[in-house]
Amino acid sequence: QVQLVESGGGLVQAGASLRLSCAASGHIFETNTAGWFRQAPGKEREFVAAIRWSGGRTLYADSVKGRFTISRDNAPITVYLQMNSLKPEDTAVYYCAAGPFQTIPTLYQYWGQGTQVTVSS
């Protein structure tokens, strides 16, 4: 089992920054990747970014490339999503997940509870 707990969401104005955190515990190396996804009201859950637990290789959605940065720390194991130049269209519930190095949400086995990010114009 893998436990994932997100934090760091909030309400900000367009152009501001936020950093999301995901504290991971359990048998995380049953998987090989930590991913961030988001889901806006009435929309499907979509991929945002991913990083291998071993570090190094990352992957980003085109919509966030150049604005968001995914990273991780080892002790304790925490995955971060630094979000800069936020736009109203970034408003969503953001989820941390553990699974394969893929962009498809249904392939990820473990999920956090989500944290709300709201960007006002």
Side-chain angles (χ1 to χ4, degrees), residues 13-24:
Q13 290 189 329
S17 298
L18 274 178
R19 190 177 78 160
L20 305 183
S21 300
C22 173

Side-chain angles (χ1 to χ4, degrees), residues 83 85 90-91 97:
M83 306 185 294
S85 302
D90 294 318
T91 295

Side-chain angles (χ1 to χ4, degrees), residues 1-119:
Q1 285 290 334
V2 174
Q3 293 79 43
L4 303 167
V5 180
E6 304 98 332
S7 61
L11 170 63
V12 297
Q13 290 189 329
S17 298
L18 274 178
R19 190 177 78 160
L20 305 183
S21 300
C22 173
S25 60
H27 301 152
I28 65 167
F29 294 109
E30 291 180 358
T31 66
N32 64 29
T33 297
W36 285 99
F37 293 81
R38 65 187 182 186
Q39 188 166 18
K43 295 188 177 181
E44 293 187 352
R45 192 167 297 188
E46 66 174 2
F47 171 77
V48 175
I51 186 169
R52 289 195 181 272
W53 289 119
S54 60
R57 192 172 178 191
T58 58
L59 189 61
Y60 293 94
D62 287 343
S63 59
V64 305
K65 207 170 290 184
R67 299 188 298 124
F68 291 11
T69 303
I70 190 170
S71 61
R72 61 157 290 190
D73 280 341
N74 289 331
I77 298 175
T78 306
V79 180
Y80 301 101
L81 185 69
Q82 177 66 43
M83 306 185 294
N84 298 329
S85 302
L86 281 162
K87 304 175 181 180
E89 52 263 44
D90 294 318
T91 295
V93 177
Y94 283 70
Y95 297 91
C96 179
F101 195 68
Q102 296 284 345
T103 64
I104 302 171
T106 54
L107 296 179
Y108 282 69
Q109 300 100 314
Y110 302 102
W111 291 85
Q113 81 286 353
T115 185
Q116 176 71 46
V117 172
T118 304
V119 184

